[in-house]
């Protein structure tokens, strides 16, 4: 049977036609007055649409549009949003326009496997997608020239469905592209398609554009009639299929993403790889430069390395993307040949060590990107330790992986009620969507908000959370076959508005320890059912479809909530965690609980969202909270210490968790004054938490930091290499260094220090350096000063450049004088590194010579 299709669009009256434009720009997702327009059209249908405005408008009866066009209040509200939208789009005074300082015109391409922009575009699974979505939204708000690249999934990520026993099953509803806020990218009236080599076959992909305010997200889609069924399935599911389909997805994302940008006439000056999934883009960029600019592999690699940024999110080796080398050969041998590399040389780019059995995408990115970072300060330290093998002769502290701590897009996660309160008291009623939460001084005025007003907003949001929980649990139990009347009656008793509420919501990976709270059920019973200071808990989260242990955690919690009378209606588990559920939770709970195994939480952002909404943190010192706690406005579970066994760790930290709730959190929360519904002591903590957390832990600050630390230097160094002959000279310099480094040696010839040095006195250091065919301009000789560590290394305090003062026979003499700033024993070592001002770092690939 031959099936033909056509599309029917709603016919909106002219004075409300702006709704169509609004529905096609994800700007609406972080602007409450825009969202409220859709709610006013039909609140029930808006909820049923999963907040997908394009699908929503297609379901609204024409009669309703005619009514709205005659409704003066609605038209007035629409025109206010319309004016705010156009002001936003046309604003000539964005942060970027007023602060940018790179040379020439910068464009950054941001590659990610998933994006959490809004519920109506379900191409996300968890934290990585939420971060990518928030990154793009802040880029839009700041006017930053950043575009996104990802995949358009037919089915997106899994929908969680629990059975009566609490076991997680999965459903994969299709995304209806015809009714989503996306549009096909065309040229001269025809869809742009690209060809991507996959082993011995070629797959075609089209491109979808998602408008996000001032910027765009481009999504590749292989679900085309020209492709085979297997090829069409590549972009069927987010993280779906076997290892072979995963590598096919990553080839399409990385290599196809570069091809797609070129096909659209977009030529980024900086590429940002968000996690290792898209690292194959580095090879396509090299091949493209070799073809178009007639560069050698070494020259093209230099330009790609200089202009690439890589963010790693995974603090466990096993959690990074690994592939069997034979699978990599199947799909990447063609590209290795295009670069003129032997298979062994290509494979070495993705192996941590020569004998490593697997090919790692993180290693590829670390080797081929000059700017690398973890997503919190602790994660940066962990990453430097994890990947020290790539720089074995370098002290761990100098491994070139820095950190930029994650944040959240405040306008997307703050409740509209609290947002209005902040606008009135802190932001002078700024226009819609233009609030910059990273303006730290503004938050100092949080004390101006009366406690009662702040508490009333929070109480309102808690009530909405409880109502949402009751509705979802009633639907869940009804679907499972329970009697509707008894379900309705019992669901009215789920949670209470005046009880201390603690939230826990995240991916149910076992290291996040969702069940730590349940280690001692009798102790938990006393906490929850304390007659004077009761406590209730709201849980949500999905396990990966293949994670049986994570599913067992969910089952345990669900069974306790349903079958143990001590906890029934006082602990709830909300099915199918998504952006909407997350928003209700972070906006409504009193405490946000986070208890992963330290240091396995790279950053975490849900606690930042809760803090933005006035919830206080109860967290292990991991991820972002390690930069805040211990503090006076939140609670830290345990400390940074190590434990002998897992059982000891869990026992100590469970005891800490119980004690904090019993002895500190609940007493403070319930210390309510006569006639007031809140505790003044609690409100002090809430205001201090907001004041200290919100200005820093947001994506406006984060994107600005990426711009200053990475995007500007990557762009400028890339421009420098575009100068005539520069890339050739740098590649030649690299080869000269590699060919001659074996002849480099350094020897300490500092005169012995006979007596103790007095503070403030000068110490003179001297070294003899052999350089072979290299010159002093090619190297940097350093005095590495500090104290001897337990492993025989030096814990660095400072590296001081030494000056070439002459030549003795075939060796050069280097000298420096300095005054010690610390008393006690001082240790030092001497080393030689390459030096080239045209490069952002000389640590990749690493050449270093220590005195032997």
């Amino acid at each position: 049977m031959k099936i033909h299709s056509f599309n029917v669009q709603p016919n909106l009256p002219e004075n409300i036609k702006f709704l169509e434009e609004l529905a096609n720009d994800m700007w609406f997702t972080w602007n409450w007055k825009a969202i409220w327009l859709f709610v006013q059209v039909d609140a029930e249908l808006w909820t049923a649409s999963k907040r997908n405005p394009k699908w929503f408008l297609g379901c609204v009866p024409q009669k309703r549009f005619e009514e709205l066009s005659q409704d003066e209040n609605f038209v007035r509200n629409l025109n206010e949003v319309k004016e705010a939208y156009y002001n936003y789009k046309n604003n000539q005074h964005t942060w970027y326009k007023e602060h940018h300082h790179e040379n020439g015109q910068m464009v950054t391409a941001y590659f990610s496997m998933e994006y959490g922009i809004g519920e109506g575009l379900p191409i996300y699974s968890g934290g990585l997608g939420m971060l990518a979505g928030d990154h793009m939204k802040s880029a839009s708000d700041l006017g930053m020239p950043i575009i996104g690249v990802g995949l358009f999934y037919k089915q997106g990520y899994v929908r969680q469905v629990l059975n009566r026993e609490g076991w997680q099953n999965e459903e994969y509803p299709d995304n209806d592209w015809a009714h989503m806020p996306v549009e096909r990218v065309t040229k001269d009236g025809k869809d742009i398609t690209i060809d991507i080599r996959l082993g011995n076959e070629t797959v075609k992909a089209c491109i979808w554009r998602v408008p996000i305010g001032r910027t765009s997200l481009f999504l590749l889609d292989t679900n085309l009639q020209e492709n085979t069924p297997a090829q069409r399935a590549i972009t069927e599911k987010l993280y779906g299929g076997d290892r072979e389909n995963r590598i096919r997805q990553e080839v399409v994302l990385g290599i196809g993403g570069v091809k797609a940008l070129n096909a659209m006439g977009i030529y980024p000056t900086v590429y940002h790889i968000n996690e290792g999934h898209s690292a194959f883009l580095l090879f396509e960029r090299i091949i493209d430069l070799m073809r178009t600019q007639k560069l050698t592999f070494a020259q093209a690699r230099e330009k790609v390395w200089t202009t690439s940024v890589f963010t790693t999110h995974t603090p466990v080796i096993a959690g990074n993307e690994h592939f069997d080398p034979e699978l990599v050969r199947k799909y990447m041998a063609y590209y290795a040949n295009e670069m003129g590399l032997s298979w062994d040389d290509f494979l070495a780019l993705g192996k941590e060590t020569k004998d490593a059995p697997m090919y790692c995408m993180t290693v590829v990115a670390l080797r081929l990107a000059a700017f690398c970072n973890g997503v919190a300060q602790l994660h940066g330290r962990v990453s430097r330790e994890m990947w020290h093998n790539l720089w074995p002769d370098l002290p761990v502290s100098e491994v070139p992986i820095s950190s930029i701590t994650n944040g959240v897009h405040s306008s997307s996660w703050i409740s509209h009620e609290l947002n209005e309160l902040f606008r009135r008291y802190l932001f002078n009623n700024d226009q819609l969507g233009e609030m910059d939460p990273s303006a730290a001084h503004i938050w100092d005025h949080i004390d101006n908000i009366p406690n009662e007003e702040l508490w009333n907003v929070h109480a309102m949001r808690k009530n909405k959370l409880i109502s949402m929980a009751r509705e979802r649990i009633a639907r869940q139990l009804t679907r499972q076959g329970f009697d509707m009347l008894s379900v309705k009656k019992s669901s009215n008793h789920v949670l209470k508005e005046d009880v201390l509420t603690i939230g826990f919501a995240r991916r149910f990976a076992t290291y996040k320890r969702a069940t730590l709270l349940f280690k001692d059920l009798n102790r938990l019973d006393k906490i929850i059912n304390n007659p004077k200071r009761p406590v209730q808990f709201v849980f949500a989260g999905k396990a990966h479809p293949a994670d049986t242990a994570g599913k067992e955690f969910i089952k345990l919690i669900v069974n306790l909530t349903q079958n143990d009378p001590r906890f029934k209606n006082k602990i709830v588990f909300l099915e199918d965690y998504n952006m909407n559920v997350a928003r209700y939770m972070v906006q409504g709970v009193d405490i946000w609980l986070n208890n992963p195994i330290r240091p396995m939480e790279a950053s975490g952002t849900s606690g930042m969202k809760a803090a933005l909404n006035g919830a206080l943190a109860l967290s292990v010192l991991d991820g972002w909270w390690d930069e805040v706690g211990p503090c006076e406005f939140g609670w830290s579970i345990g400390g940074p210490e190590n434990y002998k066994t897992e059982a000891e760790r869990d026992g100590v930290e469970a005891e800490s968790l119980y004690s904090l709730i019993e002895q500190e959190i609940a007493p403070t929360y319930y210390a309510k004054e006569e006639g007031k519904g809140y505790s003044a002591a609690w409100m002090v903590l809430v205001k201090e938490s907001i004041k200290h957390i919100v200005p820093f832990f947001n994506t406006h600050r984060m994107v600005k930091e990426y711009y200053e630390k990475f995007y500007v230097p990557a762009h400028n160094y890339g421009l420098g290499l575009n100068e005539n002959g520069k890339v050739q000279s740098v590649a030649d310099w690299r080869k000269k260094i590699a060919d001659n480094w074996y002849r480099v040696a350094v020897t300490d010839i500092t005169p012995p220090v006979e007596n103790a040095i007095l503070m403030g006195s000068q110490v003179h250091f001297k070294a003899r350096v052999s350089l072979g065919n290299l010159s002093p301009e090619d190297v940097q000789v350093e005095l590495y000063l500090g104290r001897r560590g337990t492993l025989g290394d030096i814990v660095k305090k400072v590296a001081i450049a030494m000056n070439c003062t002459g030549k003795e026979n075939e060796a050069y003499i280097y000298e420096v004088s300095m005054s010690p700033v610390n008393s006690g024993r001082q240790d030092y070592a001497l080393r030689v590194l390459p030096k080239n001002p045209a490069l952002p770092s000389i640590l990749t690939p690493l050449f270093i010579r220590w005195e032997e």
Side-chain angles (χ1 to χ4, degrees):
M1 175 172 57
K2 191 172 184 179
I3 299 176
H4 302 274
S5 302
F6 60 93
N7 194 21
V8 178
Q9 294 182 335
N11 184 19
L12 275 69
E14 192 62 35
N15 67 336
I16 63 170
K17 206 169 184 64
F18 172 69
L19 283 173
E20 286 186 335
E21 186 174 357
L22 185 62
N24 282 287
D25 192 326
M26 298 301 282
W27 175 86
F28 85 88
T29 62
W30 70 93
N31 291 277
W32 168 248
K33 290 184 179 179
I35 295 170
W36 182 241
L37 283 178
F38 297 121
V39 175
Q40 287 178 284
V41 173
D42 188 323
E44 289 188 12
L45 185 61
W46 176 246
T47 300
S49 76
K50 295 182 173 59
R51 287 147 289 278
N52 176 352
K54 200 167 179 181
W55 181 91
F56 168 77
L57 291 180
C59 296
V60 175
Q62 187 66 29
K63 182 181 178 182
R64 178 58 177 154
F65 288 134
E66 300 296 338
E67 292 173 355
L68 291 167
S69 71
Q70 303 301 316
D71 185 328
E72 292 183 4
N73 286 333
F74 182 83
V75 173
R76 182 172 58 252
N77 292 339
L78 181 143
N79 286 332
E80 286 180 5
V81 174
K82 183 177 180 180
E83 182 182 6
Y85 176 69
Y86 289 145
N87 286 342
Y88 178 89
K89 297 276 281 189
N90 299 322
N91 184 4
Q92 297 301 308
H93 301 286
T94 64
W95 182 91
Y96 176 74
K97 285 185 177 179
E98 296 192 341
H99 293 87
H100 74 96
H101 54 87
E102 72 275 10
N103 303 322
Q105 188 171 353
M106 182 190 81
V107 177
T108 296
Y110 181 89
F111 281 65
S112 183
M113 198 76 161
E114 52 175 301
Y115 289 87
I117 309 294
E119 300 96 292
L121 188 67
I123 54 171
Y124 63 89
S125 72
L128 183 71
M130 294 301 102
L131 177 78
D134 284 6
H135 195 113
M136 295 303 299
K137 292 174 187 178
S138 277
S140 171
D141 286 345
L142 296 169
M144 198 83 74
I146 301 173
I147 55 173
V149 180
L151 298 180
F152 185 80
Y153 302 103
K154 180 184 176 186
Q155 295 183 337
Y157 197 59
V158 59
R159 180 170 176 263
Q160 181 189 57
V161 181
L162 301 179
N163 65 19
R164 278 195 175 210
E165 288 70 44
W167 187 257
Q168 173 183 297
N169 294 302
E170 294 87 31
E171 291 181 354
Y172 295 90
D174 283 355
N175 289 333
D176 182 3
W177 60 263
H179 296 96
M180 295 177 70
V182 298
E183 58 189 18
R184 285 279 273 270
V185 179
T186 62
K187 186 176 183 179
D188 299 328
K190 296 181 180 179
D191 291 343
I192 295 178
T193 60
I194 56 169
D195 293 334
I196 306 163
R197 180 70 176 260
L198 281 174
N200 294 323
E201 56 184 312
T202 299
V203 62
K204 287 188 176 295
C206 68
I207 309 163
W208 297 89
R209 174 177 173 263
V210 181
I212 307 173
R214 299 182 179 113
T215 188
S216 297
L217 168 62
F218 297 100
L219 303 173
L220 278 72
D221 180 10
T222 65
N223 186 23
L224 302 175
Q225 290 186 352
E226 303 95 305
N227 289 331
T228 67
Q231 292 171 340
R232 297 180 71 165
I234 293 172
T235 56
E236 183 173 62
K237 296 177 184 177
L238 171 58
Y239 303 132
D242 56 14
R243 296 305 298 163
E244 182 149 16
N245 194 64
R246 175 65 72 85
I247 196 172
R248 287 160 70 90
Q249 284 188 336
E250 297 186 8
V251 171
V252 169
L253 173 60
I255 292 175
V258 175
K259 284 176 169 284
L261 293 174
N262 289 344
M264 292 185 289
I266 300 172
Y267 302 101
T269 59
V270 179
Y271 285 75
H272 188 164
I273 301 166
N274 187 42
E275 195 58 295
H277 306 116
S278 59
F280 287 141
L281 73 83
L282 296 157
F283 299 126
E284 178 60 24
R285 291 189 62 206
I286 289 172
I287 291 168
D288 188 53
L289 287 169
M290 292 175 71
R291 287 174 180 163
T292 59
Q293 299 185 21
K294 308 303 179 186
L295 302 181
T296 65
F297 169 79
Q299 294 166 350
R301 171 179 173 161
E302 210 66 64
K303 292 190 71 171
V304 168
W305 174 78
T306 300
T307 54
S308 296
V309 177
F310 170 57
T311 299
T312 177
H313 293 260
T314 311
V316 184
I317 289 286
N320 288 268
E321 191 77 282
H322 290 80
F323 290 111
D324 182 278
E326 285 307 307
L327 189 59
V328 177
R329 181 192 285 268
K330 179 177 179 180
Y331 290 102
M332 296 305 295
Y334 166 81
Y335 297 100
N337 187 61
E338 287 290 291
M339 291 183 286
L341 295 180
S342 71
W343 182 246
D344 285 344
D345 286 343
F346 178 87
L347 211 55
L349 291 172
K351 285 196 169 191
E352 186 179 357
T353 61
K354 183 178 181 181
D355 299 325
M358 300 291 280
Y359 186 90
C360 180
M361 299 295 282
T362 302
V363 171
V364 172
L366 289 172
R367 290 194 194 281
L368 294 179
F371 303 91
C372 303
N373 71 287
V375 290
Q377 291 179 16
L378 176 60
H379 181 229
R381 295 197 297 272
V382 170
S383 297
R384 289 189 286 275
E385 292 170 0
M386 278 176 58
W387 302 111
H388 187 212
N389 279 343
L390 300 185
W391 295 270
D393 295 324
L394 205 62
V396 172
S397 62
E398 289 190 283
V399 168
I401 303 174
S402 63
S403 64
I404 294 179
T405 302
N406 282 346
V408 299
H409 184 252
S410 303
S411 296
S412 292
W413 297 104
I414 192 171
S415 73
H416 64 89
E417 297 93 343
L418 187 58
N419 199 15
E420 287 306 312
L421 193 65
F422 285 167
R423 285 190 187 283
R424 281 195 286 119
Y425 282 96
L426 306 180
F427 288 89
N428 298 318
N429 291 310
D430 269 3
Q431 287 298 308
L432 206 62
E434 293 294 338
M435 185 177 80
D436 184 354
S438 64
H441 65 282
I442 291 174
W443 297 98
D444 292 336
H445 302 298
I446 192 83
D447 295 323
N448 294 340
I449 301 178
N451 283 345
E452 188 171 3
E453 285 194 54
L454 187 55
W455 176 259
N456 287 343
V457 165
H458 176 70
M460 187 187 307
R461 290 310 311 184
K462 184 189 280 192
N463 290 345
K464 289 187 176 185
L465 166 63
I466 291 171
S467 296
M468 181 273 291
R470 289 173 176 174
E471 290 173 7
R472 290 182 74 92
I473 288 170
R475 288 201 305 269
Q476 175 184 330
L477 295 176
T478 301
R479 192 201 72 243
Q480 292 172 349
F482 290 92
D483 177 68
M484 289 185 65
L485 290 177
S486 61
V487 164
K488 187 174 181 180
K489 183 178 179 180
S490 64
S491 64
N492 289 332
H493 299 286
V494 169
L495 305 175
K496 292 183 178 180
E497 288 86 351
D498 59 349
V499 171
L500 172 62
T501 304
I502 299 178
F504 180 101
R506 53 198 16 91
R507 182 167 54 90
F508 262 63
T510 52
Y511 78 85
K512 294 178 184 282
R513 292 193 298 181
T515 57
L516 184 67
L517 180 69
F518 304 97
K519 189 169 182 61
D520 185 339
L521 294 181
N522 291 328
R523 184 80 175 275
L524 183 59
D525 173 25
K526 292 178 182 178
I527 291 172
I528 287 177
N529 295 298
N530 184 308
K532 293 183 178 180
R533 297 192 291 264
V535 183
Q536 59 194 11
F537 293 85
V538 182
F539 281 81
K542 298 174 182 176
H544 186 280
D547 185 1
T548 302
K551 291 182 179 182
E552 290 287 356
F553 276 18
I554 293 173
K555 182 180 177 182
L556 184 151
I557 296 171
V558 171
N559 278 307
L560 283 171
T561 67
Q562 293 182 352
N563 303 322
D564 193 320
R566 297 174 295 177
F567 308 127
K568 190 173 181 64
N569 296 332
K570 298 164 185 174
I571 302 177
V572 298
F573 187 96
L574 303 180
E575 181 183 60
D576 198 31
Y577 184 51
N578 58 27
M579 288 183 77
N580 190 48
V581 174
R583 203 171 281 114
Y584 273 95
M585 288 186 66
V586 299
Q587 293 171 2
V589 299
D590 301 301
I591 290 285
W592 195 260
L593 174 61
N594 181 43
N595 47 237
I597 299 171
R598 174 186 163 100
M600 297 179 70
E601 186 80 273
S603 172
T605 55
S606 57
M608 304 175 193
K609 297 164 189 169
L612 170 67
N613 286 283
L616 301 179
L618 172 58
S619 179
V620 166
L621 286 169
D622 199 10
W624 76 281
W625 186 251
D626 184 66
E627 297 172 35
V628 182
C631 63
E632 296 179 351
F633 48 83
W635 293 274
S636 299
I637 302 167
E641 58 270 1
N642 296 315
Y643 299 95
K644 295 178 182 177
T645 65
E646 293 181 7
E648 180 189 18
R649 177 198 63 220
D650 290 352
V652 169
E653 294 186 351
E655 171 62 30
S656 175
L657 172 58
Y658 295 141
S659 297
L660 286 170
I661 296 173
E662 284 179 318
Q663 299 170 20
E664 297 187 35
I665 296 173
T668 306
Y669 180 84
Y670 285 105
K672 300 178 180 180
E673 299 175 28
E674 189 72 29
K676 293 185 177 179
Y678 61 87
S679 159
W682 187 266
M683 298 311 295
V684 168
L685 297 180
V686 168
K687 290 182 175 180
E688 286 299 305
S689 174
I690 292 172
K691 188 186 302 182
H692 287 85
I693 291 174
V694 175
F696 183 81
F697 294 98
N698 63 80
T699 43
H700 276 44
R701 183 275 312 160
M702 183 192 80
V703 172
K704 291 176 187 177
E705 198 170 338
Y706 274 110
Y707 171 76
E708 296 290 352
K709 289 180 66 174
F710 291 168
Y711 296 165
V712 169
H715 170 86
N716 286 344
Y717 277 112
L719 283 185
L721 290 185
N722 284 338
E723 295 174 10
N724 189 33
K726 181 61 71 69
V727 71
Q728 173 69 54
S729 67
V730 170
D732 291 345
W733 173 84
R734 288 271 198 206
K735 187 174 187 305
K736 182 171 72 168
I737 293 293
D739 290 345
N740 288 277
W741 200 252
Y742 74 98
R743 300 176 66 183
V744 173
V746 56
T747 303
D748 182 30
I749 54 173
T750 301
V753 179
E754 302 292 345
N755 301 310
I757 302 297
L758 295 176
M759 288 286 289
S761 300
Q762 289 268 314
V763 184
H764 190 72
F765 298 89
K766 193 172 183 181
R768 180 184 294 112
V769 181
S770 300
L771 295 178
N773 291 328
L774 300 179
S775 69
E777 289 73 27
D778 294 321
V779 301
Q780 180 165 301
V781 180
E782 293 180 341
L783 169 72
Y784 198 79
L785 185 66
R787 287 189 178 151
R788 190 185 305 270
T790 57
L791 301 177
D793 57 350
I794 288 184
V795 180
K796 186 187 77 165
K797 295 295 182 185
V798 64
I800 303 169
M802 303 181 74
N803 303 308
C804 184
T805 57
K807 193 173 183 182
E808 291 182 0
N809 299 322
E810 296 302 314
Y812 294 91
I813 303 301
Y814 281 78
E815 300 179 73
V816 70
S817 295
M818 55 82 63
S819 297
V821 295
N822 296 305
S823 60
R825 195 189 73 210
Q826 305 285 303
D827 300 305
Y828 71 92
L830 300 175
R831 68 181 187 181
V832 186
L833 293 163
K835 181 177 68 174
N836 191 319
L839 298 176
S841 168
I842 41 75
L843 300 179
T844 303
L846 179 64
F847 291 95
I848 188 169
R849 181 75 69 220
W850 295 90
E851 182 186 19
E852 295 180 353

